[in-house]
PDB file of all heavy atoms in Angstrom:
ATOM      1  N   THR A1046      21.546  13.127   1.791  1.00 97.00           N
ATOM      2  CA  THR A1046      21.013  11.952   1.108  1.00 97.00           C
ATOM      3  C   THR A1046      20.831  10.810   2.098  1.00 97.00           C
ATOM      4  O   THR A1046      21.321  10.848   3.237  1.00 97.00           O
ATOM      5  CB  THR A1046      21.956  11.496  -0.004  1.00 97.00           C
ATOM      6  OG1 THR A1046      23.202  11.072   0.589  1.00 97.00           O
ATOM      7  CG2 THR A1046      22.231  12.634  -0.993  1.00 97.00           C
ATOM      8  N   HIS A1047      20.143   9.769   1.642  1.00 97.00           N
ATOM      9  CA  HIS A1047      20.012   8.554   2.452  1.00 97.00           C
ATOM     10  C   HIS A1047      21.394   7.977   2.765  1.00 97.00           C
ATOM     11  O   HIS A1047      21.653   7.546   3.894  1.00 97.00           O
ATOM     12  CB  HIS A1047      19.183   7.504   1.704  1.00 97.00           C
ATOM     13  CG  HIS A1047      17.751   7.866   1.538  1.00 97.00           C
ATOM     14  ND1 HIS A1047      16.765   7.448   2.403  1.00 97.00           N
ATOM     15  CD2 HIS A1047      17.117   8.620   0.590  1.00 97.00           C
ATOM     16  CE1 HIS A1047      15.593   7.914   2.006  1.00 97.00           C
ATOM     17  NE2 HIS A1047      15.782   8.633   0.904  1.00 97.00           N
ATOM     18  N   LEU A1048      22.275   7.948   1.766  1.00 97.00           N
ATOM     19  CA  LEU A1048      23.607   7.384   1.976  1.00 97.00           C
ATOM     20  C   LEU A1048      24.388   8.167   3.014  1.00 97.00           C
ATOM     21  O   LEU A1048      25.169   7.595   3.779  1.00 97.00           O
ATOM     22  CB  LEU A1048      24.373   7.349   0.650  1.00 97.00           C
ATOM     23  CG  LEU A1048      23.831   6.383  -0.398  1.00 97.00           C
ATOM     24  CD1 LEU A1048      24.688   6.426  -1.658  1.00 97.00           C
ATOM     25  CD2 LEU A1048      23.762   4.958   0.147  1.00 97.00           C
ATOM     26  N   SER A1049      24.185   9.469   3.075  1.00 97.00           N
ATOM     27  CA  SER A1049      24.872  10.286   4.064  1.00 97.00           C
ATOM     28  C   SER A1049      24.399   9.945   5.480  1.00 97.00           C
ATOM     29  O   SER A1049      25.208   9.838   6.413  1.00 97.00           O
ATOM     30  CB  SER A1049      24.625  11.771   3.770  1.00 97.00           C
ATOM     31  OG  SER A1049      25.258  12.589   4.724  1.00 97.00           O
ATOM     32  N   VAL A1050      23.083   9.766   5.660  1.00 98.00           N
ATOM     33  CA  VAL A1050      22.552   9.390   6.975  1.00 98.00           C
ATOM     34  C   VAL A1050      23.045   7.999   7.365  1.00 98.00           C
ATOM     35  O   VAL A1050      23.438   7.757   8.515  1.00 98.00           O
ATOM     36  CB  VAL A1050      21.014   9.437   6.976  1.00 98.00           C
ATOM     37  CG1 VAL A1050      20.462   9.009   8.335  1.00 98.00           C
ATOM     38  CG2 VAL A1050      20.518  10.843   6.630  1.00 98.00           C
ATOM     39  N   ILE A1051      23.039   7.075   6.411  1.00 97.00           N
ATOM     40  CA  ILE A1051      23.525   5.717   6.675  1.00 97.00           C
ATOM     41  C   ILE A1051      25.005   5.744   7.048  1.00 97.00           C
ATOM     42  O   ILE A1051      25.448   5.022   7.950  1.00 97.00           O
ATOM     43  CB  ILE A1051      23.270   4.819   5.452  1.00 97.00           C
ATOM     44  CG1 ILE A1051      21.764   4.603   5.261  1.00 97.00           C
ATOM     45  CG2 ILE A1051      23.981   3.475   5.608  1.00 97.00           C
ATOM     46  CD1 ILE A1051      21.397   3.916   3.958  1.00 97.00           C
ATOM     47  N   ALA A1052      25.783   6.598   6.378  1.00 97.00           N
ATOM     48  CA  ALA A1052      27.211   6.714   6.698  1.00 97.00           C
ATOM     49  C   ALA A1052      27.407   7.187   8.131  1.00 97.00           C
ATOM     50  O   ALA A1052      28.317   6.728   8.835  1.00 97.00           O
ATOM     51  CB  ALA A1052      27.893   7.677   5.727  1.00 97.00           C
ATOM     52  N   GLY A1053      26.567   8.120   8.586  1.00 97.00           N
ATOM     53  CA  GLY A1053      26.644   8.564   9.976  1.00 97.00           C
ATOM     54  C   GLY A1053      26.339   7.439  10.943  1.00 97.00           C
ATOM     55  O   GLY A1053      26.998   7.293  11.981  1.00 97.00           O
ATOM     56  N   GLY A1054      25.325   6.623  10.621  1.00 97.00           N
ATOM     57  CA  GLY A1054      25.002   5.482  11.469  1.00 97.00           C
ATOM     58  C   GLY A1054      26.117   4.454  11.501  1.00 97.00           C
ATOM     59  O   GLY A1054      26.441   3.898  12.560  1.00 97.00           O
ATOM     60  N   LEU A1055      26.745   4.203  10.345  1.00 96.00           N
ATOM     61  CA  LEU A1055      27.861   3.250  10.291  1.00 96.00           C
ATOM     62  C   LEU A1055      29.050   3.736  11.108  1.00 96.00           C
ATOM     63  O   LEU A1055      29.722   2.944  11.774  1.00 96.00           O
ATOM     64  CB  LEU A1055      28.284   3.029   8.841  1.00 96.00           C
ATOM     65  CG  LEU A1055      27.407   2.098   7.998  1.00 96.00           C
ATOM     66  CD1 LEU A1055      27.796   2.171   6.532  1.00 96.00           C
ATOM     67  CD2 LEU A1055      27.506   0.661   8.512  1.00 96.00           C
ATOM     68  N   ALA A1056      29.321   5.050  11.056  1.00 96.00           N
ATOM     69  CA  ALA A1056      30.461   5.593  11.791  1.00 96.00           C
ATOM     70  C   ALA A1056      30.343   5.319  13.283  1.00 96.00           C
ATOM     71  O   ALA A1056      31.350   5.101  13.965  1.00 96.00           O
ATOM     72  CB  ALA A1056      30.572   7.093  11.541  1.00 96.00           C
ATOM     73  N   LEU A1057      29.123   5.304  13.807  1.00 97.00           N
ATOM     74  CA  LEU A1057      28.917   5.051  15.226  1.00 97.00           C
ATOM     75  C   LEU A1057      28.750   3.562  15.529  1.00 97.00           C
ATOM     76  O   LEU A1057      29.307   3.053  16.512  1.00 97.00           O
ATOM     77  CB  LEU A1057      27.695   5.823  15.718  1.00 97.00           C
ATOM     78  CG  LEU A1057      27.798   7.353  15.650  1.00 97.00           C
ATOM     79  CD1 LEU A1057      26.487   7.991  16.109  1.00 97.00           C
ATOM     80  CD2 LEU A1057      28.954   7.865  16.490  1.00 97.00           C
ATOM     81  N   SER A1058      27.994   2.848  14.694  1.00 97.00           N
ATOM     82  CA  SER A1058      27.714   1.438  14.999  1.00 97.00           C
ATOM     83  C   SER A1058      28.953   0.560  14.864  1.00 97.00           C
ATOM     84  O   SER A1058      29.180  -0.344  15.679  1.00 97.00           O
ATOM     85  CB  SER A1058      26.585   0.919  14.104  1.00 97.00           C
ATOM     86  OG  SER A1058      26.951   0.959  12.741  1.00 97.00           O
ATOM     87  N   LEU A1059      29.784   0.807  13.844  1.00 95.00           N
ATOM     88  CA  LEU A1059      30.985  -0.012  13.667  1.00 95.00           C
ATOM     89  C   LEU A1059      32.040   0.321  14.710  1.00 95.00           C
ATOM     90  O   LEU A1059      32.733  -0.574  15.211  1.00 95.00           O
ATOM     91  CB  LEU A1059      31.548   0.183  12.255  1.00 95.00           C
ATOM     92  CG  LEU A1059      30.701  -0.368  11.111  1.00 95.00           C
ATOM     93  CD1 LEU A1059      31.358  -0.096   9.765  1.00 95.00           C
ATOM     94  CD2 LEU A1059      30.452  -1.869  11.283  1.00 95.00           C
ATOM     95  N   GLU A1060      32.187   1.607  15.041  1.00 96.00           N
ATOM     96  CA  GLU A1060      33.174   1.981  16.059  1.00 96.00           C
ATOM     97  C   GLU A1060      32.794   1.413  17.426  1.00 96.00           C
ATOM     98  O   GLU A1060      33.663   0.976  18.186  1.00 96.00           O
ATOM     99  CB  GLU A1060      33.291   3.497  16.128  1.00 96.00           C
ATOM    100  CG  GLU A1060      34.207   4.019  17.223  1.00 96.00           C
ATOM    101  CD  GLU A1060      35.672   3.640  17.023  1.00 96.00           C
ATOM    102  OE1 GLU A1060      36.055   3.264  15.889  1.00 96.00           O
ATOM    103  OE2 GLU A1060      36.435   3.705  18.001  1.00 96.00           O
TER     104      GLU A1060
END
Side-chain angles (χ1 to χ4, degrees):
T1046 64
H1047 292 265
L1048 292 181
S1049 179
V1050 178
I1051 292 171
L1055 282 170
L1057 296 177
S1058 63
L1059 292 179
E1060 175 65 18

